[in-house]
Amino acid sequence: MASLRRNEPLDPVELAAELIRRPSVTPRDEGTLPYLAEVLGRLGFRCELKEFTEPGTEPVLNLYARIGSGGRNLCFAGHTDVVPPGNLDAWSIAPFAGRVEDGTLHGRGAADMKGAIACFAAACARFLAERGPGFAGSISLLITGDEEGVSINGTRKLLEWLAAKGETLDACIVGEPTNARELGDMVKIGRRGSMNGYLTVEGVQGHTAYPHLADNAAHRLVAMLQAMIAAPLDEGTAHFQPSTLQIATIDIGNTAANVIPGLARATFNTRFNDRWTSDSLKAWLKQKCDAVGGRYTLDFHVSGESFLTPPGPFSALVARAIERVTGRVPELSTTGGTSDARFIHHYCPIAEFGLVGLTMHKVDERVPLADMAALTEIYRLLLDLYFPAA
Ligand SMILES: [Zn+2]
């Protein structure tokens, strides 16, 4: 890296491999963001490393880098933290070796999403080499080390900190591995909300031969859950699949067949579309439980509300860049889990597009070099289309 100068071609594969070699298992950084800041600094970006912490959480390092001081600010958002590798023996190539074999880059974070960060950095290098740093606009990178974990000291705080400084984002591309099978098949323009429910039903324990002297908590728990799953939550909306509710576990822990349980618990997860908010869904679920009656508690954990950037000029631009490079017309989708785009969409239009997600979070996470070359070109073209030459 010592020889890397401003506007010198930057190899996305080499950069991604260097990032993979820093084992930044969430929320640890292991030198990853300072290294990325150094690389971006050499391209002319002004980099600010910002650590956030709060009681009960581990401090997390974040990065905001920007080149240009005026015009529209196109932001790339992503994360350098990765999920743990799990059983090391199961990997055919060590997860943090950052090795290329058979035209494929291997390692934890290759797809999710150090690979995409490296592609965007390389795209910036090419764009700046062609257009010079004097183009009428700004490019920024908003990179957190806290996406795979609790997401408390990451993107949300970074956005608040930027807003307080008067920094604005005009559009944001999020580099999550959105493609289902092949590069170019899917852009995400929103995500469903996610909420866990923790239901505890209290009854009165008793002898199964004398049910009139007891109140069976299991019966009421089953009735409440049945009321929740009896019919679909909705039929889906213009840009979303139907909302779902899945029972994850039912826990009664009763070891005797002749005892009526006095306590029964269940945990369920909902993925909900823009027909609901977490509050309206909570109210609906409580109604179902109240209709069954008796003593119960229902607690919730909301991981994210549903959100949507309706198809518009920015998603059209992203789709055009993808089609020109891959020949594929991407589906604009809201499927899958949540991402940090849930924080960013409050500030500007978003579209999520990165590598193929087939191996993310798995053993032998990997990405074909051809995909990295194509993604770099897509990002470069996106910059070119977003900042038309005068
Ligand atoms: Zn990710």
Side-chain angles (χ1 to χ4, degrees):
M1 287 311 302
S3 67
L4 179 70
R5 282 184 298 275
R6 176 182 286 223
N7 297 351
E8 196 171 283
L10 177 62
D11 180 359
V13 178
E14 254 174 52
L15 175 55
E18 283 295 337
L19 296 175
I20 289 169
R21 286 179 198 126
R22 289 157 175 83
S24 50
V25 174
T26 191
R28 306 193 60 182
D29 178 69
E30 302 291 354
T32 312
L33 283 174
Y35 177 79
L36 180 62
E38 192 192 320
V39 172
L40 292 171
R42 288 175 199 200
L43 294 174
F45 282 84
R46 300 181 301 283
C47 299
E48 292 180 88
L49 288 164
K50 188 78 188 157
E51 190 177 83
F52 293 116
T53 187
E54 66 177 62
T57 65
E58 279 188 67
V60 174
L61 200 60
N62 299 276
L63 170 67
Y64 182 68
R66 175 171 175 164
I67 190 165
S69 51
R72 295 192 298 170
N73 181 8
L74 175 60
C75 181
F76 172 92
H79 62 89
T80 45
D81 60 327
V82 297
V83 294
N87 179 11
L88 294 178
D89 293 334
W91 288 70
S92 39
I93 293 175
F96 301 112
R99 242 171 59 203
V100 172
E101 225 163 77
D102 298 328
T104 302
L105 173 65
H106 291 256
R108 175 57 85 224
D112 186 14
M113 53 165 280
K114 289 173 170 176
I117 293 172
C119 290
F120 190 79
C124 288
R126 288 174 200 180
F127 175 78
L128 294 169
E130 286 162 15
R131 299 277 293 275
F135 74 98
S138 301
I139 307 169
S140 56
L141 289 91
L142 189 156
I143 312 289
T144 182
D146 187 22
E147 197 273 346
E148 298 288 9
V150 287
S151 303
I152 291 172
N153 294 313
T155 299
R156 191 168 48 86
K157 284 188 178 167
L158 205 51
L159 287 163
E160 287 165 4
W161 173 69
L162 289 174
K165 296 202 311 170
E167 186 84 8
T168 52
L169 312 177
D170 293 289
C172 184
I173 178 96
V174 181
E176 288 292 342
T178 49
N179 297 284
R181 306 220 137 257
E182 288 177 304
L183 193 80
D185 65 22
M186 193 176 285
V187 171
K188 300 213 171 162
I189 55 168
R191 301 271 187 146
R192 293 175 296 176
S194 176
M195 177 171 80
N196 291 340
Y198 305 93
L199 175 61
T200 303
V201 175
E202 288 173 65
V204 176
Q205 190 179 310
H207 195 300
T208 49
Y210 303 90
H212 55 288
L213 300 177
D215 170 19
N216 195 322
H219 289 192
R220 283 201 284 114
L221 182 88
V222 167
M224 288 173 182
L225 294 175
Q226 179 55 32
M228 292 176 189
I229 62 170
L233 286 166
D234 55 61
E235 303 298 324
T237 62
H239 298 288
F240 284 89
Q241 297 171 312
S243 304
T244 60
L245 186 152
Q246 291 295 311
I247 297 166
T249 181
I250 294 175
D251 304 291
I252 297 172
N254 184 7
T255 53
N258 60 353
V259 173
I260 290 170
L263 200 69
R265 292 193 173 89
T267 300
F268 58 87
N269 176 255
T270 61
R271 301 291 166 133
F272 55 96
N273 59 35
D274 56 351
R275 150 87 176 71
W276 303 88
T277 64
S278 61
D279 281 339
S280 70
L281 189 51
K282 282 176 190 173
W284 184 86
L285 291 163
K286 281 181 185 151
Q287 246 175 41
K288 296 287 170 195
C289 294
D290 287 343
V292 174
R295 278 199 301 163
Y296 76 91
T297 56
L298 181 51
D299 298 318
F300 297 100
H301 174 75
V302 181
S303 329
E305 300 288 340
S306 73
F307 63 88
L308 176 74
T309 293
F314 186 59
S315 52
L317 221 54
V318 174
R320 202 189 316 160
I322 292 166
E323 192 182 356
R324 267 209 230 161
V325 175
T326 67
R328 295 190 182 95
V329 178
E331 179 190 344
L332 303 181
S333 164
T334 56
T335 55
T338 194
S339 84
D340 272 2
R342 70 187 189 270
F343 304 123
I344 306 167
H345 81 100
H346 293 297
Y347 295 82
C348 65
I350 56 112
E352 298 182 67
F353 185 75
L355 289 159
V356 177
L358 280 175
T359 63
M360 63 178 169
H361 294 210
K362 291 187 180 172
V363 158
D364 284 341
E365 182 174 347
R366 62 194 180 276
V367 46
L369 300 194
D371 281 4
M372 292 192 68
L375 183 60
T376 303
E377 180 54 16
I378 289 167
Y379 286 154
R380 189 204 62 79
L381 191 53
L382 176 65
L383 292 170
D384 221 36
L385 293 169
Y386 193 79
F387 300 110

